Amino acid sequence: MSPHPGPEGPGGHDGSPPAADGSAPPAAALDGIRRLLEAGGVAVLSGAGLSTESGIPDYRGVTGRSRRHTPMTYQEFTGSEAARRRYWARSHAGWRAIAEARPNAGHRAVERLRRTGRVSAVITQNVDGLHRAAGTVDAVELHGGLDRVVCLGCGRRSSREELDRRLHDLNGAAGGTDARVNPDGDVELPDALVASFRIAPCTACGGILKPDVVFFGENVPGARVQRCYDLVDGARALLVLGSSLAVLSGLRFVRHAARGGKPVAIVNQGATRGDEYADLKVALPLGATLSALAERLDARPDRGLDG
């Protein structure tokens, strides 16, 4: 645990013990998060767990534990035409499920907390664009967005919808979306369908098109990382929502906040790599929990959950 323990200690004010994963019991958890948000100035770091209620699975949480899907790496994508064909075939088949996903109660609650000043900044590891769709247009998308495409040759950016229409003209529905969609928006397809898939080049220079997301093995742009550090520095506390913090790109901000003496709270189903830095760990459904907190803080800005 970090050197600044939570407001009620690890067992909570009701005397009940913490859960097996180190999380606080529900009563203490809600009260601890309410206290964190009540003073305002809280930076949010969100992960895939926030989007599962929108129908988008995660890699490691409740919806992702049984998955054996291996994400595309930057080295594979740039080094192999066959790998690019496989990526775009599978991604084209799953794109509609991502494009049609809608913000859930958790996204909407985060935006409500931002509008009332409880949340000062939102950093998301997700590439689904759901924070933006919920109204948090200034959310920093740490790993980019699937709704954009970038040319590796000329750097031109274009919309994924434009590319989807071109790929549909070349290939049709490419298997449709009957298969289960993976967290990064693709689906499993038969090898024969992948082998016959036709890739669309950049319309400006004929170069290689890549989704405007950070692949595994690729670095997050330095300016974007610094922007996130600045947001954490400017916040009073850090609240992690639905992330196992399994990759360093998100974990570093938790470590940075803890080193700076800022309270860190984590709401996640299951253990995370950041648990040792957390003052408060909570295992509760995100949508219902955040909605209740936003409602009560909005209605009673200077009073606790119990009145």
Side-chain angles (χ1 to χ4, degrees):
M1 297 292 290
S2 63
H4 39 280
E8 308 298 345
H13 62 71
D14 58 2
S16 54
D21 66 353
S23 60
L30 284 171
D31 193 54
I33 298 174
R34 188 266 302 166
R35 290 175 184 271
L36 193 75
L37 288 165
E38 195 169 45
V42 176
V44 163
L45 173 64
S46 70
L50 188 63
S51 292
T52 56
E53 293 178 35
S54 294
I56 299 176
D58 59 4
Y59 283 111
R60 302 172 182 87
V62 175
T63 64
R65 285 173 183 157
S66 63
R67 297 174 183 271
R68 298 181 179 178
H69 173 67
T70 302
M72 177 68 68
T73 68
Y74 181 76
Q75 291 73 21
E76 285 180 288
F77 188 88
T78 56
S80 167
E81 183 176 351
R84 292 192 292 275
R85 180 178 296 109
R86 183 173 72 254
Y87 175 86
W88 283 120
R90 292 161 53 122
S91 185
H92 179 53
W95 168 241
R96 290 264 57 91
I98 300 295
E100 293 171 5
R102 295 294 178 263
N104 62 53
H107 298 105
R108 293 192 294 271
V110 169
E111 169 57 14
R112 186 172 179 178
L113 290 164
R114 187 194 67 82
R115 289 199 312 267
T116 58
R118 310 295 186 183
V119 167
S120 61
V122 176
I123 302 165
T124 183
Q125 299 172 93
N126 299 338
V127 295
D128 51 40
L130 292 179
H131 276 297
R132 277 187 284 121
T136 313
V137 294
D138 59 350
V140 178
E141 295 175 325
L142 185 63
H143 297 147
L146 281 173
D147 59 345
R148 304 182 297 273
V149 179
V150 61
C151 174
L152 296 180
C154 66
R156 177 180 179 267
R157 281 177 166 78
S158 54
S159 75
R160 179 60 183 270
E161 286 293 344
E162 174 189 322
L163 177 61
D164 187 61
R165 290 191 292 269
R166 295 176 61 205
L167 291 175
H168 190 276
D169 289 343
L170 290 170
N171 302 281
T177 57
D178 292 337
R180 188 168 61 178
V181 178
N182 287 312
D184 49 3
D186 68 358
V187 300
E188 302 291 334
L189 290 177
D191 291 342
L193 191 58
V194 171
S196 64
F197 191 82
R198 298 174 64 188
I199 302 174
C202 173
T203 56
C205 73
I208 295 171
L209 293 179
K210 172 184 171 293
D212 195 13
V213 300
V214 177
F215 280 155
F216 283 84
E218 184 180 7
N219 292 325
V220 179
R224 192 180 304 165
V225 173
Q226 186 57 54
R227 171 64 175 156
C228 293
Y229 277 130
D230 291 343
L231 292 174
V232 173
D233 285 339
R236 188 185 56 80
L238 180 64
L239 176 61
V240 179
L241 302 176
S243 176
S244 64
L245 300 170
V247 293
L248 181 60
S249 61
L251 178 62
R252 57 184 156 191
F253 303 118
V254 173
R255 290 174 172 171
H256 184 73
R259 283 196 299 266
K262 298 177 186 294
V264 174
I266 298 175
V267 187
N268 189 64
Q269 300 282 358
T272 84
R273 284 183 69 194
D275 286 356
E276 65 181 291
Y277 305 102
D279 302 294
L280 180 64
K281 173 72 187 301
V282 182
L284 289 171
L286 283 164
T289 299
L290 293 169
S291 295
L293 286 164
E295 178 68 26
R296 295 173 189 182
L297 285 166
D298 198 17
R300 302 175 181 180
D302 298 315
R303 303 176 67 185
L305 291 177
D306 298 325

